[in-house]
Amino acid sequence: MNEKTLAERPGSAAPPSDRASSWVGRALDPVVGILVLAGFFNGISGNPIHGLVLAGAGVGVVVVPPRAGAAVETAGVEVRRRGGRRWRIALPVALAFGVVAGGLQRHTWPVTVAILVPGITGLVVASRTRWREAPAERLDPGGAGLWIGVLLALGVFELVNFLLQPSRLEGSFDHPTLSTLFDEVVIGHPSRAIALTLWMLAGWWLVER
Amino acid sequence: MSNRQITILIWAGLAVAMLLLEALSRRRRSRIPSFGALVTRGMRTASGRVAVLAGWLWIGLHYFSR
């Protein structure tokens, strides 16, 4: 079953809502504000590339109209069917990426480019994928609340440890943030290769959503 | 127990909590959604998709690049 067949099914098309169909409506989306603000603060914190990526993503949401697409139910089946084949490609690709990019020194331009290329590609592919604003799977508020609680605790604990650092750029031995712990773990080529392979697989998984 | 050990223990506790929630979500008729279902829910709109992918790209840049 191809996408054209799916789109031709009666009632399968999910047109963009009124809010998403105009750029003014998209600009008022809170996600845009969060991305632009995060980009701004990254930029003034000495990370101009991080800032440009986040702010650029926010601007992209406003200027690029989403594509209407097939409804979730039918498209989901199609994505799952293709998913198995895609993962057989994703695994060796991610592994090759991890081994090559993991050989590059951290915090240098070569590794920055190595991450930006698949990262921006994934971002563009995900944003241009047929938009599926259809009734999503209903989540139990209590169950979802447990996840949100744990993720919130993680964010707050990261912030607490960050504030306990001697300075913004110097990690604390007594109160390590995730970044500080990561620095201690990713010291050689093998560990960098594993981390980058997992990062690439995570991106692939997200694009497949 | 040192401050460092306590901090690392809390990090480990949070990681275990996430693994536990994921394991519980896979039980039959569980009311807890899987992490994947949660992410899918967040990505049901165009802006949500972009935000999640931008977050993923930011993680790659933050931990590895300039």
Side-chain angles (χ1 to χ4, degrees):
Chain A
M1 190 184 295
N2 58 32
E3 284 189 354
K4 191 179 176 189
T5 314
L6 288 168
E8 282 169 353
R9 281 190 166 194
S12 66
S17 64
D18 289 344
R19 185 174 137 171
S21 60
S22 77
W23 73 266
V24 178
R26 292 194 298 275
L28 294 174
D29 189 327
V31 169
V32 172
I34 291 168
L35 284 170
V36 171
L37 267 180
F40 173 75
F41 284 112
N42 267 267
I44 62 170
S45 302
N47 297 310
I49 296 170
H50 304 44
L52 274 175
V53 163
L54 293 172
V59 172
V61 169
V62 178
V63 297
V64 182
R67 293 170 67 193
V72 161
E73 293 82 5
T74 49
V77 171
E78 181 69 10
V79 167
R80 270 195 290 278
R81 193 172 293 158
R82 289 180 309 208
R85 287 200 297 272
R86 287 186 177 176
W87 279 104
R88 265 175 257 152
I89 301 167
L91 281 170
V93 168
L95 196 61
F97 170 79
V99 170
V100 174
L104 303 169
Q105 204 62 38
R106 283 176 74 202
H107 310 301
T108 59
W109 278 110
V111 78
T112 302
V113 173
I115 285 171
L116 279 174
V117 170
I120 290 176
T121 305
L123 195 57
V124 170
V125 168
S127 64
R128 300 310 296 153
T129 302
R130 285 176 177 276
W131 191 45
R132 293 175 290 154
E133 190 181 52
E137 180 189 343
R138 281 188 66 83
L139 302 181
D140 181 81
L146 287 173
W147 271 112
I148 292 167
V150 171
L151 293 173
L152 210 60
L154 199 134
V156 169
F157 193 54
E158 173 77 353
L159 182 64
V160 167
N161 287 315
F162 177 75
L163 294 174
L164 288 170
Q165 288 185 166
S167 75
R168 191 174 55 78
L169 298 175
E170 192 184 346
S172 164
F173 179 81
D174 284 338
H175 305 282
T177 59
L178 281 179
S179 310
T180 311
L181 287 174
F182 192 76
D183 286 342
E184 295 170 13
V185 173
V186 188
I187 43 173
H189 186 183
S191 53
R192 279 200 301 270
I194 291 168
L196 282 165
T197 301
L198 292 175
W199 176 78
M200 182 64 117
L201 288 173
W204 197 290
W205 179 75
L206 288 172
V207 171
E208 290 277 322
R209 297 269 108 189
Chain B
M1 192 177 260
S2 69
N3 282 339
R4 180 180 171 82
Q5 286 169 328
I6 293 169
T7 304
I8 292 173
L9 203 64
I10 294 173
W11 279 127
L14 288 167
V16 169
M18 290 176 75
L19 290 173
L20 193 66
L21 283 178
E22 185 64 28
L24 290 173
S25 75
R26 287 164 192 270
R27 288 181 315 169
R28 264 193 185 188
R29 303 173 81 172
S30 174
R31 292 174 62 194
I32 300 170
S34 66
F35 184 71
L38 205 70
V39 173
T40 303
R41 173 82 184 187
M43 293 177 77
R44 77 188 194 283
T45 61
S47 59
R49 290 180 71 78
V50 171
V52 171
L53 263 296
W56 163 73
L57 173 52
W58 181 85
I59 286 172
L61 288 172
H62 180 70
Y63 286 106
F64 290 99
S65 78
R66 293 180 67 85

